[in-house]
Every structure is written in structure tokens, then in C-alpha cells.
């Protein structure tokens, strides 16, 4: 419904550490901190960053990723969306994250 779609990008939790995840199985998942030092929250299906990122993503943007290092972001303020998909394990692989950030920086500038 229209009301559900309107609710999707709104923060849903009191917690502000949505972007930090500790993992027990490091063969498939690294520990994750999408935005070190920045509060983040969950909308319905999206992580929401609270401030502008170093790569240029606007505060309030929506994003998430998949296990094989596939990521997307939706910057509604700038009307910009990006997707990068890799087939690399473990999730949040440092080289994959560097590539994600480099691509987002290039697109966002």
C-alpha cells in the first residue's frame, strides 16, 4: 500500500547501530561496520545512514548488501542509485568494500 511504501525509509528501531554486525563464522562473514563512528538505523528492508558519508551518500540514504559482497544504495535526496555485485566470500571482504567505496565515490561526485 501507499502507506507501507511511505514507511519503508523511516527509522524503525530505537537502536542506532544497525550497521555494526559481529559474526561467529568468519569463513562466510567478516565483522561489519558500514559506517564507523556513525549512527545508523533500520527502515523496512533498508539500513539508513544518519550523516553524509565520505563517499558522498546523503544522510538518510537507504542501503544493504548480500553475502557474496553484493551491495546497493539509494540516495533519494540526490536521486542516485547504485548496485555493485561480486561473487567473493567472506561478506564484507576488505578488497570488496574498498571497491564498493571507490565506485560509490566516483558515481557520487
Amino acid at each position: 500500500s501507499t502507506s507501507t511504501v511511505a514507511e519503508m525509509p523511516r527509522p524503525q528501531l530505537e537502536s542506532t547501530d544497525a550497521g555494526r554486525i559481529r559474526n561467529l563464522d568468519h569463513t562466510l562473514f567478516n565483522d561489519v561496520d558500514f559506517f564507523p563512528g556513525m549512527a545508523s538505523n533500520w527502515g523496512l528492508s533498508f539500513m539508513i545512514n544518519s550523516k553524509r558519508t565520505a563517499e558522498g551518500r546523503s544522510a538518510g540514504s537507504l542501503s544493504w548488501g548480500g553475502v557474496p559482497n553484493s551491495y546497493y544504495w539509494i540516495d533519494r535526496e540526490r536521486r542516485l542509485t547504485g548496485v555493485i555485485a561480486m561473487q567473493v566470500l567472506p561478506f564484507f571482504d576488505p578488497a570488496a568494500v574498498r571497491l564498493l567505496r571507490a565506485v560509490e565515490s566516483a558515481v557520487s561526485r
Side-chain angles (χ1 to χ4, degrees):
S1 72
T2 303
S3 62
T4 301
V5 172
E7 191 66 24
M8 290 178 79
R10 292 192 184 112
Q12 301 294 316
L13 303 175
E14 290 180 21
S15 171
T16 59
D17 63 353
R20 290 182 285 285
I21 304 167
R22 291 228 181 262
N23 292 293
L24 299 176
D25 182 353
H26 288 279
T27 61
L28 294 176
F29 307 93
N30 284 318
D31 289 342
V32 174
D33 190 348
F34 276 96
F35 306 111
M38 182 190 305
S40 55
N41 204 308
W42 287 110
L44 301 178
S45 301
F46 308 103
M47 183 174 57
I48 306 166
N49 54 293
S50 64
K51 297 178 184 172
R52 183 176 177 88
T53 69
E55 295 77 31
R57 187 185 307 177
S58 300
S61 292
L62 313 172
S63 64
W64 195 232
V67 172
N69 287 286
S70 56
Y71 303 94
Y72 69 89
W73 71 94
I74 303 166
D75 187 330
R76 297 178 317 133
E77 180 179 313
R78 299 181 67 211
R79 302 182 54 87
L80 180 66
T81 299
V83 175
I84 184 168
M86 296 167 259
Q87 296 294 308
V88 176
L89 292 175
F91 179 66
F92 215 68
D93 174 76
V97 173
R98 281 193 302 275
L99 180 59
L100 164 66
R101 296 194 192 292
V103 167
E104 187 174 354
S105 290
V107 170
S108 295
R109 303 285 174 209

